[in-house]
């Protein structure tokens, strides 16, 4: 008996998101489709008020009335060996979007022993591809929880971002991977993990330029960041780190946060340098004398406390300007230590909470 339901035209593992702005300033999803094993769920919007630090003017982008929070989910909380995920996201001018997950993305190991009857054969490759188009004055914060590859798993991801940089498009993302199921004694025991992040400038001026680094659309490559972890011996190459990742920030909306990371990195103690102020103590705001800290003293006090926790949690990090973007590399002994460090940095600076809402910080809770 033929099925009374029409056949599906979508491919498995495909998700399509198109965010537009309905006059005067209401964001709407013109397209929001997905197929197993991907699930896209829209949560509460973060309302933007006139008191926001980014005001409409001749030099700053007009803002939408709110920022949607979109959860990228998978059935069972992870990807089964051999899953293929393809996501396409398009942000129209002046829109903003936050993408988060509800926990670490688990990369499950094969159901059969690696290689089966043929020990040379590698496990099936689990793959996730993301293509994002960010128009003028649009902004995206991509803040998933850390990826957690299980022992014997094999995973690859490619995230391609086409940004109208000249038009004020903005992108912020965190991309991190942990050692696996540490509670079960796993320590970098997966077969392989590769990640690629690319940012392409699709502004009109980029299309008019000639030279190397252009794709078939005429866009110019701004940044390419690759991470390749291949067995055997991954644990011996990462020293004592249990997690490490990358933060990429580009565009006017993330400029304050990018500058904050650069400034804090410059303030880190250098090897061999002596701290001439080590003998000094700051007066706390709740001291009996009631003496209040100045903004500069309060920031220095916070910095000293944060650096002490970084040492305790084994946090290592660096930041650099790369062709208009700021790239931060970080690692920690455990996932919780990395989350505490990143949470303190993002909350102290404040851009994400003000411009994207508390949902943007879910990855560090």
């Amino acid at each position: 008996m033929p099925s009374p339901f029409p056949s599906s035209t979508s491919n498995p593992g495909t998700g399509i998101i198109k965010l537009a702005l309905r006059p005067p300033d209401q964001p709407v999803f013109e397209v929001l489709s997905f197929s197993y094993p991907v699930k896209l769920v829209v949560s509460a919007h973060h309302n933007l008020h006139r008191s926001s630090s980014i005001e409409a003017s001749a030099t700053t982008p007009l803002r939408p009335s709110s920022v949607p929070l979109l959860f990228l989910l998978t059935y069972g909380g992870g990807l089964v060996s051999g899953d293929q995920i393809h996501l396409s996201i398009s942000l129209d001018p002046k829109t903003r979007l936050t993408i988060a997950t509800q926990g670490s993305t688990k990369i499950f190991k094969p159901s059969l022993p690696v290689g089966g009857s043929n020990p040379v054969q590698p496990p099936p490759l689990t793959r996730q591809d993301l293509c994002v188009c960010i128009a003028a004055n649009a902004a995206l914060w991509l803040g998933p929880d850390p990826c957690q590859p299980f022992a014997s798993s094999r995973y690859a991801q490619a995230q391609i971002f086409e940004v109208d940089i000249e038009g004020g498009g903005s992108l912020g993302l965190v991309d991190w991977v942990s050692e696996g199921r540490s509670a079960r004694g796993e320590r970098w025991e997966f077969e392989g993990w590769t990640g690629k992040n690319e940012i392409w400038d699709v502004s009109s001026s980029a299309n008019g330029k000639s030279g190397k680094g252009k794709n078939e659309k005429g866009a110019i490559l701004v940044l390419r960041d690759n991470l390749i972890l291949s067995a055997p011996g991954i644990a011996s190459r990462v020293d004592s780190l249990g997690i490490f990742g990358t933060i990429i920030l580009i565009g006017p909306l993330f400029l304050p946060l990018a500058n904050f990371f650069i400034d804090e990195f410059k303030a880190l103690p250098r090897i061999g340098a002596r701290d001439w102020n080590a003998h000094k103590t700051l007066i706390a705001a709740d001291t009996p004398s009631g003496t209040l800290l100045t903004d500069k003293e309060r920031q220095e006090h916070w910095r000293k406390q944060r650096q002490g926790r970084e040492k305790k949690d084994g946090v290592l990090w660096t930041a650099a300007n790369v062709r208009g973007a700021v790239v931060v590399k970080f690692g920690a002994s455990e996932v919780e230590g990395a989350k505490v460090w990143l949470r303190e940095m993002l909350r102290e600076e404040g851009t994400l909470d003000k411009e994207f809402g508390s949902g943007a910080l879910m990855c560090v809770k």
Side-chain angles (χ1 to χ4, degrees):
M1 178 180 177
S3 173
F5 303 103
S7 60
S8 175
T9 58
S10 61
N11 296 321
T14 299
I16 302 176
I17 304 163
K18 180 174 173 55
L19 184 63
L21 205 62
R22 178 182 296 167
D25 56 5
Q26 183 65 36
V28 293
F29 287 98
E30 288 189 345
V31 180
L32 185 64
S33 65
F34 53 89
S35 58
Y36 181 87
V38 175
K39 189 174 183 180
L40 304 173
V41 178
V42 180
S43 184
H45 291 213
H46 169 65
N47 294 322
L48 294 174
H49 305 286
R50 293 185 181 275
S51 59
S52 171
S53 63
I54 304 296
E55 297 294 341
S57 70
T59 58
T60 56
L62 296 174
R63 296 175 290 111
S65 61
S66 62
V67 181
L69 170 60
L70 181 70
F71 285 100
L72 173 59
L73 309 176
T74 52
Y75 292 86
L79 299 175
V80 177
S81 179
D83 278 349
Q84 304 287 312
I85 307 298
H86 305 278
L87 301 173
S88 175
I89 302 173
S90 178
L91 303 185
D92 278 5
K94 302 176 186 177
T95 59
R96 295 185 193 175
L97 178 62
T98 300
I99 297 181
T101 58
Q102 287 188 317
S104 60
T105 300
K106 301 170 181 62
I107 311 300
F108 295 107
K109 64 181 182 180
S111 57
L112 297 176
V114 176
S117 60
N118 182 5
V120 179
Q121 182 181 356
L125 177 67
T126 304
R127 185 171 185 87
Q128 179 168 289
D129 294 324
L130 173 66
C131 183
V132 181
C133 296
I134 302 175
N137 293 329
L140 171 67
W141 169 251
L142 180 60
D145 284 83
C147 182
Q148 186 183 32
F150 287 13
S152 302
S153 65
R154 194 162 150 258
Y155 176 78
Q157 73 173 28
Q159 300 185 142
I160 311 300
F161 304 92
E162 298 179 346
V163 187
D164 187 346
I165 296 177
E166 185 181 76
S170 299
L171 168 67
L173 69 92
V174 57
D175 184 17
W176 40 357
V177 56
S178 72
E179 61 188 346
R181 295 174 293 182
S182 57
R184 298 191 60 175
E186 292 182 1
R187 177 164 168 75
W188 307 105
E189 296 177 10
F190 45 84
E191 288 296 310
W193 193 99
T194 62
K196 177 174 70 173
N197 293 297
E198 290 184 357
I199 298 178
W200 295 80
D201 184 5
V202 295
S203 57
S204 57
S205 62
N207 292 330
K209 295 179 181 179
S210 60
K212 297 181 180 180
K214 301 188 70 173
N215 62 11
E216 64 278 0
K217 298 180 182 179
I220 293 180
L221 180 63
V222 176
L223 175 68
R224 175 180 288 142
D225 180 79
N226 288 327
L227 174 61
I228 301 175
L229 301 174
S230 57
I234 300 176
S236 63
R237 300 197 299 269
V238 298
D239 197 23
S240 60
L241 297 180
I243 182 174
F244 56 87
T246 302
I247 301 168
I248 300 177
L249 304 167
I250 190 170
L253 197 61
F254 292 104
L255 183 60
L257 180 58
N259 290 337
F260 178 78
F261 272 104
I262 292 294
D263 292 341
E264 288 303 312
F265 177 68
K266 291 179 179 178
L268 286 177
R270 298 302 179 224
I271 296 176
R274 181 174 178 180
D275 185 2
W276 297 98
N277 295 318
H279 64 286
K280 297 181 181 179
T281 56
L282 293 171
I283 303 175
D286 57 350
T287 54
S289 62
T291 304
L292 297 177
L293 296 173
T294 65
D295 289 343
K296 184 176 180 180
E297 289 173 334
R298 190 207 63 80
Q299 185 179 21
E300 185 63 26
H301 183 57
W302 169 84
R303 181 180 293 134
K304 292 292 185 182
Q305 288 184 323
R306 192 206 77 228
Q307 290 175 357
R309 282 188 289 269
E310 288 177 6
K311 185 176 181 180
K312 178 182 177 182
D313 293 334
V315 176
L316 301 173
W317 67 283
T318 183
N321 286 293
V322 183
R323 301 184 68 184
V326 166
V327 179
V328 181
K329 295 287 185 178
F330 65 94
S333 300
E334 298 180 356
V335 172
E336 187 59 29
K339 285 190 173 185
V340 169
W341 169 78
L342 185 54
R343 179 170 63 244
E344 290 187 351
M345 295 289 283
L346 296 179
R347 284 182 173 175
E348 176 68 16
E349 194 279 330
T351 291
L352 283 184
D353 191 40
K354 289 183 292 186
E355 305 299 341
F356 289 87
S358 59
L361 300 175
M362 291 198 65
C363 62
V364 294
K365 290 182 178 180

